[in-house]
Amino acid sequence: MIVLDRVDKVESIMKRRGFIWQSADIYGGLAGFYDYGHLGTLMKRKFENLWRKFFLGLDSNFFEISTSVILPEDVLKASGHFDHFTDPVTKCKKCNFVERADQILEKQLNEKFEGLSKEDLNELIRKHNIKCPKCGGELGEVSEINLMFPVEIGPYSKIKGYLRPETAQSSYINFVREFNALRKKLPMGLAIVGKAFRNEISPRQGVYRMREFTQAELQIFFNPEKADEHKDWEDIMDYKLRLMSVSSRDKVREMSCEEANKELELPKFYVFHMAQIQKFYIDILKIPKEKIRFFELSKEERAFYNKLHWDFELETEGFNGFGEVAAIHYRTDHDLKLHQKFSGKSQEVFYDEEKFIPHVIEITFGIDRNIYALLEFFYGERDDKSVLFLPPKIAPFDCAVFPLVKKDGLDKKAFEVYNKLRKYFVCFYDDSGSIGRRYARQDEIGTPLCITIDSDTLKDNTVTIRDRDTKKQPRVKIGELKDKIEQFFENT
Amino acid sequence: MIVLDRVDKVESIMKRRGFIWQSADIYGGLAGFYDYGHLGTLMKRKFENLWRKFFLGLDSNFFEISTSVILPEDVLKASGHFDHFTDPVTKCKKCNFVERADQILEKQLNEKFEGLSKEDLNELIRKHNIKCPKCGGELGEVSEINLMFPVEIGPYSKIKGYLRPETAQSSYINFVREFNALRKKLPMGLAIVGKAFRNEISPRQGVYRMREFTQAELQIFFNPEKADEHKDWEDIMDYKLRLMSVSSRDKVREMSCEEANKELELPKFYVFHMAQIQKFYIDILKIPKEKIRFFELSKEERAFYNKLHWDFELETEGFNGFGEVAAIHYRTDHDLKLHQKFSGKSQEVFYDEEKFIPHVIEITFGIDRNIYALLEFFYGERDDKSVLFLPPKIAPFDCAVFPLVKKDGLDKKAFEVYNKLRKYFVCFYDDSGSIGRRYARQDEIGTPLCITIDSDTLKDNTVTIRDRDTKKQPRVKIGELKDKIEQFFENT
């Protein structure tokens, strides 16, 4: 008998029940690409909507835009991606195996080397006498490879473009237009929830490092002179953040926002948004605080455009420990300034009685990683059966409706109830198999409530509502079902 | 004074207020690519959600999936796009101008030639002595150009892929997996709302022919032996369709579904879904019926995979008459059969006590064209000012909240009301400029309700609700606002 471990069990549910699997799998699959089935799509949409509600709700001047994924080369030359969005690669001189140099080192020396220069990596390879992990041959010089997918636009007079490596650039190049279309006020936030693309050398760990993925990013434009203030600072100044700073990589320190501002010299406007990210995971996604932390990246590790860079990490087995699911970057005026220079169009605004280029704080989430992490995190077992104890607000279905048996008019009545409820809730109808099996099938995909129509229903118009977690099945009048379900979701 | 015509006025609102504009416009714009600003994004999301609710609501076995936009070459070789997804192109021998041959003919002969073979087009060019529209030079032989964007995956050992030219293929290659994850029943529907890409020779007419666009497609898999039935046939058999068949291109005929089934020999399963498309436009989007029609494509005109192909067209000035906004295709088992052949994986199902490859009816919508058409269609003027008379359910904002003046605590009270309402509605807060200007600004973007907080509010907790269309402003208690607004939306 094969005993599956936890990660395998979750992946089996993901594939078998309709969450996530590798793209084009009837053709052998495409490395780094994933498709969402009907359950994954419902859950992803719920996650995205919770994200929108939470982060766009932080300010009445935060809005979403939705933009093309193909960008002309000009934009990416200006942003620096054309020159700097690279990974260091080495090729075995004997067997031609190609891999990221930092990842070869990481595996063999059990240490992180992301962000080192190719010179440093070459030196480390020589110093530690690192060989090809496949054949033991000698590794060639490390070179830089650009990770963007080029696209040629137009059939003859080709214009060079790229699939965007991050959604952020589309917010920057639309900044002035939106500033004018909106209130002409700062702070202003532009969010994009959409696809981004990176031609990874070696995609790995399932959805952790994908070549096509969905980001939810929010660019907040603000007056740099007001970086050390936020209108709602008092609401969060005593809120405790879980921080692993560059100066304290051995352990997480709990620190109030006030302390983070003073001791770590992080500006209040930045700390305020760190607190919001942590609140999103603890209050909305119900992750216990010991499973999360902010991880600061050093100057060498962080992306070329960031002055401050803290990853937000979540601990799961599938990530082999803590893995990045979100991040907050202080990008300053880096991008707007370069777009001004390259496009020749002013990116200055007149606000607070002065003229200046705003600074940007970026909040960025990898949606796919989050979906995976949540599925694995809330996976559990009860009576030898799998149960996804997902927070009800991100479970694919809000509720399922069953007739106890498929006769005596129970199925007709159940379908009526289903048709009534589906106007308000994401609802699944199921009439096949024993009632016990139907409950188990819904437990396995995390459905928080199952409504069953039985012979009493025909007498007194009541149904049972079974709670996934308590397994209790109180009876409720059909006329009160909508309110009861709404209340249940409001209280979770 | 420049007098703008209707289309220019709508386009000015689209750009100025935050609906839609050309991508990368600070870099001069990218032909065939468009960005949605904050208002366009809200409207697009509402449209997509109405679409989902309506079309996925047709059957409890219809679901949405969400899949990668990059597909491996194998998939597109199987589907036929690699060989047949082409446009006929001619190049001027004198000035090198390149254009679609059918479009050159269309402009000069004022007739439609879409779908003709390159041989036929060459003959027409010779016969009518068609010259280069730019310089009058001789046109070269017509050749076929593939419209897909190629993408190379992986940095060294490159795998060939393409940006998908339609979302449909992702539903086909996931059919078996979803059939097993769902009920193992037919009909089954798989919808995808997402990006598709076509490297058009000459993108034109704004969002009408884009290189990157959003489709909402529903693939309905069914038993071909049951093509001439539908469980809800009786609900629509007397419903009148507006049809322009190949045999009657001179005028639209109104014909009941029953007549279309009998006289035009269209299968009931197909006609049922035609009726639903028409209902979506008339009942949900509130388009008057004389502005819409189904337009049948002949064998020569329709795509290589279709046995039946009716476009659904809407008449607007921007389209220069009737333009395609949706379509319904009978794709038979064309795609699944070829995927079975090319992948070696069986696409048969066992259902109704037999084993077979299902047939497919596809419902396809171009979201961008629809958004544009709706904006133009509902554009109007009142007292010399622009008003978007959009159906409330697709207006970007549900409501706006204003303090009458920005003092005496009215702004604080208004912001409280705004914060309360934004939990339930898409809501905009505005306190700048005169109240008249604020109403006008909301009229211009179609906001159906404006809520104003005035000095009476502080006395008796009532506010005014102004209706965009009637301009009436009844007073309502703040405690009843939520219910009143909900009722308003239910009744529209």
Side-chain angles (χ1 to χ4, degrees), chain A residues 21 23 25 27 35-38 41 45 60 64 66 68-69 154 174 177-178 183 199 212 339 418 429, chain B residues 21 23 25 27 35-38 41 45 60 64 66 68-69 154 174 177-178 183 199 212 339 418 429:
Chain A
W21 51 76
S23 297
D25 67 348
Y27 287 92
D35 285 355
Y36 283 72
H38 68 289
T41 300
R45 183 131 28 89
S60 63
E64 185 180 351
S66 124
S68 65
V69 302
N174 285 310
R177 197 172 270 289
E178 277 293 336
R183 299 155 203 277
N199 197 2
E212 174 180 338
H339 284 304
Y418 161 76
Y429 179 80
Chain B
W21 50 77
S23 298
D25 66 349
Y27 287 94
D35 285 354
Y36 283 73
H38 68 289
T41 300
R45 183 132 27 91
S60 63
E64 185 180 353
S66 125
S68 66
V69 302
N174 286 308
R177 197 172 269 290
E178 278 291 337
R183 300 156 203 277
N199 196 3
E212 174 181 338
H339 284 304
Y418 160 76
Y429 179 80

Side-chain angles (χ1 to χ4, degrees), chain B residues 272-286:
Chain B
F272 176 84
H273 292 100
M274 291 176 83
Q276 299 306 329
I277 293 175
Q278 186 172 309
K279 276 171 180 280
F280 182 69
Y281 279 92
I282 293 177
D283 300 345
I284 308 290
L285 302 178
K286 315 289 183 193

Side-chain angles (χ1 to χ4, degrees), chain B residues 100-289:
Chain B
R100 272 174 61 172
D102 56 333
Q103 285 180 7
I104 292 181
L105 283 161
E106 189 178 322
K107 269 178 207 141
Q108 301 199 16
L109 301 178
N110 221 358
E111 212 181 307
K112 280 195 177 182
F113 295 100
E114 210 169 324
L116 290 198
S117 71
K118 60 181 179 184
E119 290 75 21
D120 290 344
L121 291 166
N122 274 326
E123 204 187 301
L124 280 166
I125 288 172
R126 275 192 299 274
K127 187 176 144 197
H128 294 282
N129 195 24
I130 304 292
K131 299 291 182 193
C132 170
K134 291 278 166 190
C135 77
E138 198 186 336
L139 292 171
E141 283 290 294
V142 176
S143 59
E144 299 280 351
I145 294 233
N146 196 294
L147 297 184
M148 293 194 293
F149 286 102
V151 175
E152 296 195 323
I153 304 158
Y156 286 111
S157 55
K158 294 192 179 180
I159 296 161
K160 275 201 169 181
Y162 295 89
L163 299 179
R164 65 181 176 200
E166 57 171 4
T167 71
Q169 293 306 320
S170 304
S171 289
Y172 302 142
I173 60 177
N174 286 308
F175 164 68
V176 171
R177 197 172 269 290
E178 278 291 337
F179 185 79
N180 291 323
L182 277 162
R183 300 156 203 277
K184 300 189 174 68
K185 282 182 187 168
L186 297 178
M188 178 181 96
L190 292 181
I192 296 180
V193 178
K195 294 271 174 114
F197 302 82
R198 295 180 187 177
N199 196 3
E200 295 284 351
I201 317 297
S202 46
R204 56 167 189 163
Q205 277 179 272
V207 301
Y208 193 75
R209 201 176 290 282
M210 288 162 73
R211 286 173 166 151
E212 174 181 338
F213 50 100
T214 301
Q215 290 186 316
E217 297 195 316
L218 171 63
Q219 313 300 319
I220 308 171
F221 302 86
F222 64 101
N223 182 345
E225 289 189 5
K226 300 193 169 175
D228 206 32
E229 54 190 84
H230 190 285
K231 68 179 170 54
D232 300 322
W233 177 252
E234 258 132 60
D235 296 349
I236 55 97
M237 57 187 281
D238 297 323
Y239 182 77
K240 298 249 185 215
L241 297 170
R242 293 177 54 80
L243 305 176
M244 185 170 262
S245 63
V246 166
S247 58
S248 146
R249 285 251 166 122
D250 53 333
K251 72 169 205 299
V252 169
R253 287 190 293 170
E254 287 217 2
M255 216 183 250
S256 74
C257 289
E258 189 76 7
E259 288 163 343
N261 171 246
K262 295 235 159 66
E263 285 182 36
L264 300 177
E265 292 177 4
L266 299 172
K268 285 182 182 169
F269 198 78
Y270 188 82
V271 175
F272 176 84
H273 292 100
M274 291 176 83
Q276 299 306 329
I277 293 175
Q278 186 172 309
K279 276 171 180 280
F280 182 69
Y281 279 92
I282 293 177
D283 300 345
I284 308 290
L285 302 178
K286 315 289 183 193
I287 306 289
K289 67 174 187 168

Side-chain angles (χ1 to χ4, degrees), chain A residues 129-289:
Chain A
N129 196 24
I130 303 293
K131 299 290 181 193
C132 171
K134 291 277 166 192
C135 77
E138 199 187 334
L139 292 172
E141 284 289 294
V142 177
S143 60
E144 301 279 350
I145 295 233
N146 196 293
L147 296 184
M148 292 194 294
F149 286 102
V151 175
E152 297 196 321
I153 304 158
Y156 287 110
S157 55
K158 294 192 179 182
I159 297 161
K160 275 202 167 181
Y162 295 89
L163 299 180
R164 65 182 177 200
E166 57 171 5
T167 71
Q169 293 307 320
S170 303
S171 289
Y172 303 142
I173 60 178
N174 285 310
F175 164 68
V176 171
R177 197 172 270 289
E178 277 293 336
F179 185 80
N180 292 324
L182 276 163
R183 299 155 203 277
K184 299 189 174 70
K185 282 182 186 166
L186 296 178
M188 177 180 97
L190 293 181
I192 296 179
V193 178
K195 295 270 175 117
F197 303 82
R198 295 179 187 177
N199 197 2
E200 295 285 352
I201 316 297
S202 46
R204 54 165 192 165
Q205 277 180 272
V207 302
Y208 193 75
R209 201 177 290 281
M210 290 162 72
R211 285 172 166 152
E212 174 180 338
F213 50 100
T214 300
Q215 292 186 316
E217 298 195 314
L218 171 63
Q219 313 299 319
I220 308 170
F221 302 85
F222 65 100
N223 182 346
E225 289 190 4
K226 298 193 170 176
D228 206 33
E229 55 189 84
H230 190 285
K231 67 178 171 52
D232 299 323
W233 177 252
E234 261 134 59
D235 296 348
I236 55 97
M237 57 187 280
D238 298 323
Y239 183 76
K240 298 249 187 220
L241 298 170
R242 293 177 54 79
L243 305 176
M244 185 170 262
S245 62
V246 167
S247 57
S248 146
R249 285 250 167 126
D250 53 333
K251 72 170 205 301
V252 169
R253 287 190 292 170
E254 287 218 2
M255 216 183 246
S256 74
C257 290
E258 188 77 6
E259 288 162 344
N261 171 243
K262 295 235 158 67
E263 285 181 36
L264 300 177
E265 292 178 3
L266 299 173
K268 285 182 180 170
F269 197 78
Y270 187 82
V271 176
F272 176 85
H273 292 99
M274 290 176 84
Q276 299 305 329
I277 293 175
Q278 187 173 308
K279 275 170 180 281
F280 182 70
Y281 279 92
I282 292 178
D283 300 346
I284 309 290
L285 302 179
K286 315 289 184 194
I287 306 289
K289 67 174 186 170

Side-chain angles (χ1 to χ4, degrees), chain A residues 15-18 21-28 30-31 33-39 41-42 44-45 49 52-53 56-72 74-75 78 89 91 98 143 145 149-156 159 163 170 172-174 177-178 180-183 185 195 197 199-201 211-212 338-340 342-343 345 347 397 406 415 418 422-424 427-432, chain B residues 15-18 21-28 30-31 33-39 41-42 44-45 49 52-53 56-72 74-75 78 89 91 98 143 145 149-156 159 163 170 172-174 177-178 180-183 185 195 197 199-201 211-212 338-340 342-343 345 347 397 406 415 418 422-423 427-432 490:
Chain A
K15 278 188 204 169
R16 188 168 34 84
R17 297 302 309 272
W21 51 76
Q22 204 171 36
S23 297
D25 67 348
I26 63 169
Y27 287 92
L30 193 56
F33 296 85
Y34 287 81
D35 285 355
Y36 283 72
H38 68 289
L39 296 181
T41 300
L42 287 170
K44 184 169 183 259
R45 183 131 28 89
N49 286 337
R52 287 180 175 113
K53 197 165 180 182
L56 300 184
L58 294 177
D59 193 300
S60 63
N61 203 27
F62 288 3
F63 287 94
E64 185 180 351
I65 62 173
S66 124
T67 59
S68 65
V69 302
I70 295 180
L71 290 175
D74 290 345
V75 172
V89 164
K91 193 172 177 179
V98 174
S143 60
I145 295 233
F149 286 102
V151 175
E152 297 196 321
I153 304 158
Y156 287 110
I159 297 161
L163 299 180
S170 303
Y172 303 142
I173 60 178
N174 285 310
R177 197 172 270 289
E178 277 293 336
N180 292 324
L182 276 163
R183 299 155 203 277
K185 282 182 186 166
K195 295 270 175 117
F197 303 82
N199 197 2
E200 295 285 352
I201 316 297
R211 285 172 166 152
E212 174 180 338
L338 287 166
H339 284 304
Q340 173 167 293
F342 279 72
S343 72
K345 301 283 193 312
Q347 300 297 304
F397 291 119
K406 213 173 146 181
F415 206 71
Y418 161 76
R422 75 189 300 197
K423 282 184 205 145
Y424 311 102
C427 203
F428 186 72
Y429 179 80
D430 192 3
D431 61 14
S432 61
Chain B
K15 279 188 204 171
R16 188 168 35 82
R17 296 302 309 271
W21 50 77
Q22 206 171 34
S23 298
D25 66 349
I26 62 169
Y27 287 94
L30 192 57
F33 296 85
Y34 287 81
D35 285 354
Y36 283 73
H38 68 289
L39 296 180
T41 300
L42 287 169
K44 184 168 183 262
R45 183 132 27 91
N49 285 338
R52 287 180 176 112
K53 196 165 182 182
L56 300 184
L58 293 177
D59 192 300
S60 63
N61 204 26
F62 287 4
F63 287 94
E64 185 180 353
I65 61 174
S66 125
T67 59
S68 66
V69 302
I70 295 179
L71 290 174
D74 289 345
V75 172
V89 163
K91 191 173 176 178
V98 173
S143 59
I145 294 233
F149 286 102
V151 175
E152 296 195 323
I153 304 158
Y156 286 111
I159 296 161
L163 299 179
S170 304
Y172 302 142
I173 60 177
N174 286 308
R177 197 172 269 290
E178 278 291 337
N180 291 323
L182 277 162
R183 300 156 203 277
K185 282 182 187 168
K195 294 271 174 114
F197 302 82
N199 196 3
E200 295 284 351
I201 317 297
R211 286 173 166 151
E212 174 181 338
L338 287 166
H339 284 304
Q340 173 167 294
F342 279 71
S343 71
K345 302 283 194 310
Q347 301 297 303
F397 292 119
K406 213 174 147 179
F415 205 71
Y418 160 76
R422 75 189 300 199
K423 281 185 207 145
C427 204
F428 186 72
Y429 179 80
D430 192 4
D431 62 13
S432 60
E490 266 172 36

